[in-house]
Amino acid sequence: MRVRPGKSSRPRTRTRPQHADAVDGFVIAVDRGRYTCVLSGAERGVVGAELPTVTAMRARELGRKSVVVGDRVSLVGDTSGAEGALARIVRIAERRSVLRRTADDDETTAEGRLERVVVANADQLVIVSALADPPPRTGFIDRCLVAAYDADVEPLLCLTKADLAGPEEVLGYYTELELPYVLNRPDSDLDALRSLLSGKVSVLVGHSGVGKSTLVNRLVPDALRAVGVVSAIGRGRHTSTSAVALRLPPVPGVDTDPGWIIDTPGIRSFGLAHVSADSLLHGFPDLVEGTVDCPPNCPHTADEAECGLDAWVAAGKADPRRLASYRRLLASRAGEGDSRGDSDQRGPGEGDRRGPDE
């Protein structure tokens, strides 16, 4: 009779492999549990050379840690990049920055509690907005600015379709911020934009229909991102379906790293439930100084009689629309009303108001 050994006679070790031979990689795409990476050596290799890619999956020791586009990771296994080869991601480097959003502003809802990491390790958030067809949505731009400041990512406003409308009213709305911006027309050479993207990892966000995919295809001709059209009611159609990092082509005569752009799907909401109410003010630096005369723990709401922001705006030191936008975000962040409220500014002087995210 054969007696099987008991479990106690087969002790398990808690020692985990150190993976000293792991190579560093950069995640450029995520697709149903498969991660496309480029090796760090190739990422910084010959400018203009085609980058070999490695397909990988998450190792079990990562547990529930998510891997997103922009992550710096350590890879083991078959990192040759050959067809059918599969490596494993065993470590995720500490993230320099994390750009997040939620589907809802209210943290008491399931959508508000679920944070979505858009990208990791970005240096710059490029907010793409059309000046016409569809008209600019300053409410959405405000939300992106709050998310950028919260993630410690530099914002850049990219205004497209400048051949259809002038930028004066939109730029006037943000004049106190000294927000860097660039104008683009269908016939512009994009040199100004390329110089602002050079050497950085930049994330492009914007509503569908603002020309983001067209812009990506002009910056990276081999990208072949799908391009849609704007519907008769002024709404864009979703064309990009997943985030992907694309290396910018080299600038002739320049040997420096041209940088990366991360194209994200067109989104209709940028929930801020993950941003604390106090941190919302960082998205409005033109209002910060106006809070000096506020009482302790001032909520900065419109019904607070001693809030110093009203006097600050009345003195002409900030645009009243900026204060209205800030308080609208405060109200939606606290769950007091719809985050798609009817008081959105689609653009100064524009009609057909639909809400801050549409």
Side-chain angles (χ1 to χ4, degrees):
M1 179 177 178
R2 182 170 177 262
V3 178
R4 299 182 61 185
K7 292 183 179 180
S8 60
S9 66
R10 297 187 302 172
R12 296 182 61 187
T13 177
R14 292 182 179 273
T15 304
R16 294 292 183 265
Q18 297 299 313
H19 299 299
D21 59 341
V23 296
D24 295 333
F26 175 60
V27 180
I28 63 172
V30 178
D31 182 19
R32 293 169 292 184
R34 293 293 184 266
Y35 305 89
T36 304
C37 311
V38 294
L39 302 185
S40 293
E43 175 195 352
R44 301 183 180 91
V46 179
V47 175
E50 183 177 352
L51 299 180
T53 59
V54 175
T55 301
M57 60 182 297
R58 292 188 327 120
R60 291 185 62 184
E61 52 258 46
L62 290 180
R64 298 178 65 87
K65 293 181 180 178
S66 63
V67 180
V68 299
V69 172
D71 267 327
R72 306 283 175 171
V73 297
S74 296
L75 300 163
V76 299
D78 191 342
T79 58
S80 65
E83 184 177 356
L86 187 64
R88 286 187 299 136
I89 298 175
V90 294
R91 283 191 296 269
I92 304 172
E94 183 178 356
R95 293 165 173 168
R96 298 193 321 272
S97 64
V98 181
L99 183 66
R100 299 182 176 91
R101 73 180 183 94
T102 56
D104 192 0
D105 285 317
D106 189 357
E107 63 180 358
T108 63
T109 66
E111 293 81 4
R113 290 191 298 269
L114 181 61
E115 292 184 11
R116 292 177 173 84
V117 177
V118 181
V119 295
N121 300 315
D123 302 307
Q124 186 170 238
L125 178 64
V126 182
I127 307 167
V128 183
S129 175
L131 289 170
D133 191 31
R137 278 90 163 170
T138 53
F140 178 78
I141 296 174
D142 284 344
R143 288 169 174 268
C144 292
L145 288 174
V146 170
Y149 291 130
D150 180 70
D152 197 22
V153 174
E154 292 295 326
L156 171 65
L157 183 59
C158 179
L159 299 173
T160 62
K161 305 184 183 181
D163 56 317
L164 301 180
E168 293 78 16
E169 293 190 23
V170 175
L171 296 179
Y173 183 70
Y174 294 103
T175 185
E176 299 295 333
L177 297 185
E178 298 182 357
L179 181 65
Y181 71 92
V182 62
L183 297 177
N184 287 298
R185 298 176 175 84
D187 58 348
S188 57
D189 54 18
L190 301 183
D191 288 347
L193 179 58
R194 286 192 179 96
S195 66
L196 293 170
L197 300 177
S198 177
K200 300 177 181 178
V201 177
S202 304
V203 186
L204 275 65
V205 297
H207 282 297
S208 299
V210 298
K212 182 166 58 66
S213 294
T214 300
L215 189 64
V216 170
N217 288 335
R218 293 189 62 196
L219 288 169
V220 188
D222 295 334
L224 300 178
R225 299 295 274 176
V227 178
V229 296
V230 178
S231 65
I233 61 173
R235 291 188 178 183
R237 298 178 181 175
H238 293 282
T239 51
S240 302
T241 58
S242 60
V244 61
L246 303 165
R247 194 186 194 197
L248 290 166
V251 179
V254 179
D255 295 331
T256 57
D257 179 12
W260 290 79
I261 57 172
I262 301 178
D263 185 23
T264 59
I267 54 180
R268 289 185 177 176
S269 65
F270 212 113
L272 299 174
H274 63 287
V275 181
S276 67
D278 293 337
S279 296
L280 279 177
L281 193 59
H282 295 307
F284 298 81
D286 50 328
L287 300 178
V288 172
E289 194 174 344
T291 63
V292 173
D293 296 329
C294 289
N297 302 318
C298 177
H300 306 309
T301 55
D303 56 359
E304 176 55 52
E306 298 183 14
C307 180
L309 289 176
D310 295 285
W312 182 259
V313 170
K317 297 181 179 180
D319 192 316
R321 295 172 298 179
R322 294 282 291 163
L323 178 57
S325 181
Y326 170 60
R327 284 176 169 166
R328 189 166 56 249
L329 290 180
L330 271 180
S332 62
R333 171 63 180 76
E336 300 170 2
D338 191 349
S339 64
R340 298 175 179 267
D342 58 5
S343 58
D344 172 48
Q345 298 151 10
R346 303 187 88 202
E350 292 288 350
D352 188 20
R353 303 178 186 273
R354 280 196 181 88
D357 296 329
E358 294 192 352

